[in-house]
Short mmCIF file of all heavy atoms in Angstrom, two decimals:
data_model
loop_
_atom_site.label_atom_id
_atom_site.label_comp_id
_atom_site.label_asym_id
_atom_site.label_seq_id
_atom_site.Cartn_x
_atom_site.Cartn_y
_atom_site.Cartn_z
N ASP A 342 122.95 69.99 -11.62
CA ASP A 342 123.43 68.81 -12.27
C ASP A 342 123.74 67.69 -11.29
O ASP A 342 124.34 66.68 -11.66
CB ASP A 342 124.74 69.24 -13.01
CG ASP A 342 124.47 70.08 -14.27
OD1 ASP A 342 123.44 69.88 -14.88
OD2 ASP A 342 125.26 70.96 -14.45
N ALA A 343 123.34 67.84 -10.05
CA ALA A 343 123.64 66.87 -9.01
C ALA A 343 123.13 65.46 -9.32
O ALA A 343 123.68 64.50 -9.11
CB ALA A 343 123.12 67.29 -7.63
N ILE A 344 121.91 65.47 -9.93
CA ILE A 344 121.24 64.17 -10.27
C ILE A 344 121.38 63.96 -11.79
O ILE A 344 121.01 64.83 -12.58
CB ILE A 344 119.76 64.16 -9.93
CG1 ILE A 344 119.62 64.40 -8.33
CG2 ILE A 344 119.09 62.85 -10.31
CD1 ILE A 344 118.20 64.65 -7.93
N GLY A 345 121.88 62.73 -12.18
CA GLY A 345 121.96 62.43 -13.53
C GLY A 345 120.63 61.85 -14.04
O GLY A 345 120.00 61.02 -13.41
N ILE A 346 120.26 62.28 -15.27
CA ILE A 346 119.03 61.84 -15.99
C ILE A 346 119.44 61.21 -17.28
O ILE A 346 120.00 61.92 -18.09
CB ILE A 346 117.98 62.92 -16.08
CG1 ILE A 346 117.69 63.63 -14.79
CG2 ILE A 346 116.71 62.39 -16.71
CD1 ILE A 346 116.84 64.91 -14.97
N LEU A 347 119.21 59.96 -17.46
CA LEU A 347 119.63 59.29 -18.75
C LEU A 347 118.48 59.17 -19.69
O LEU A 347 117.39 58.72 -19.33
CB LEU A 347 120.11 57.95 -18.37
CG LEU A 347 120.71 57.04 -19.54
CD1 LEU A 347 121.95 57.65 -20.17
CD2 LEU A 347 121.02 55.66 -19.04
N PHE A 348 118.75 59.52 -20.96
CA PHE A 348 117.75 59.42 -22.01
C PHE A 348 118.18 58.42 -23.05
O PHE A 348 119.34 58.01 -23.07
CB PHE A 348 117.59 60.83 -22.67
CG PHE A 348 117.08 61.88 -21.78
CD1 PHE A 348 117.92 62.65 -20.96
CD2 PHE A 348 115.69 62.14 -21.68
CE1 PHE A 348 117.45 63.58 -20.07
CE2 PHE A 348 115.19 63.11 -20.87
CZ PHE A 348 116.08 63.82 -20.01
N PRO A 349 117.22 57.97 -23.87
CA PRO A 349 117.61 57.02 -24.99
C PRO A 349 118.82 57.57 -25.83
O PRO A 349 118.91 58.78 -26.07
CB PRO A 349 116.35 56.95 -25.83
CG PRO A 349 115.22 57.23 -24.87
CD PRO A 349 115.80 58.31 -23.92
N GLY A 350 119.64 56.61 -26.25
CA GLY A 350 120.82 57.04 -27.00
C GLY A 350 122.00 57.44 -26.17
O GLY A 350 122.95 57.94 -26.69
N GLY A 351 121.88 57.23 -24.84
CA GLY A 351 122.99 57.56 -23.97
C GLY A 351 123.13 59.03 -23.62
O GLY A 351 124.12 59.42 -23.00
N LYS A 352 122.16 59.86 -23.96
CA LYS A 352 122.21 61.28 -23.69
C LYS A 352 121.87 61.52 -22.25
O LYS A 352 121.00 60.85 -21.71
CB LYS A 352 121.30 62.03 -24.59
CG LYS A 352 121.68 61.92 -26.09
CD LYS A 352 120.65 62.66 -27.00
CE LYS A 352 120.97 62.46 -28.41
NZ LYS A 352 119.91 63.05 -29.30
N THR A 353 122.49 62.49 -21.60
CA THR A 353 122.23 62.75 -20.21
C THR A 353 122.11 64.23 -19.91
O THR A 353 122.64 65.09 -20.58
CB THR A 353 123.32 62.19 -19.30
OG1 THR A 353 124.61 62.83 -19.59
CG2 THR A 353 123.49 60.67 -19.37
N LEU A 354 121.30 64.51 -18.84
CA LEU A 354 121.28 65.81 -18.23
C LEU A 354 121.83 65.55 -16.84
O LEU A 354 121.54 64.58 -16.21
CB LEU A 354 119.86 66.29 -18.12
CG LEU A 354 119.14 66.79 -19.41
CD1 LEU A 354 117.69 67.13 -19.10
CD2 LEU A 354 119.79 68.08 -19.96
N GLY A 355 122.65 66.49 -16.39
CA GLY A 355 123.19 66.30 -15.04
C GLY A 355 124.45 65.39 -15.02
O GLY A 355 125.01 65.10 -16.00
N ASP A 356 124.70 64.92 -13.83
CA ASP A 356 125.90 64.07 -13.53
C ASP A 356 125.80 62.71 -14.16
O ASP A 356 125.01 61.85 -13.67
CB ASP A 356 126.16 63.99 -12.04
CG ASP A 356 127.49 63.33 -11.68
OD1 ASP A 356 128.16 62.80 -12.60
OD2 ASP A 356 127.84 63.37 -10.52
N ALA A 357 126.52 62.36 -15.17
CA ALA A 357 126.49 61.04 -15.77
C ALA A 357 126.98 59.96 -14.88
O ALA A 357 126.71 58.78 -15.12
CB ALA A 357 127.28 61.09 -17.13
N ASN A 358 127.68 60.33 -13.82
CA ASN A 358 128.24 59.36 -12.86
C ASN A 358 127.32 59.15 -11.76
O ASN A 358 127.61 58.43 -10.80
CB ASN A 358 129.63 59.83 -12.40
CG ASN A 358 130.66 59.76 -13.49
OD1 ASN A 358 130.74 58.86 -14.29
ND2 ASN A 358 131.43 60.84 -13.64
N ASN A 359 126.18 59.91 -11.76
CA ASN A 359 125.18 59.69 -10.65
C ASN A 359 123.74 59.66 -11.21
O ASN A 359 122.87 60.41 -10.81
CB ASN A 359 125.29 60.86 -9.64
CG ASN A 359 124.42 60.68 -8.43
OD1 ASN A 359 124.34 59.57 -7.90
ND2 ASN A 359 123.74 61.75 -7.98
#
Side-chain angles (χ1 to χ4, degrees):
D342 291 323
I344 300 170
I346 307 171
L347 181 65
F348 296 85
K352 298 175 183 177
T353 59
L354 287 172
D356 187 354
N358 294 314
N359 186 42

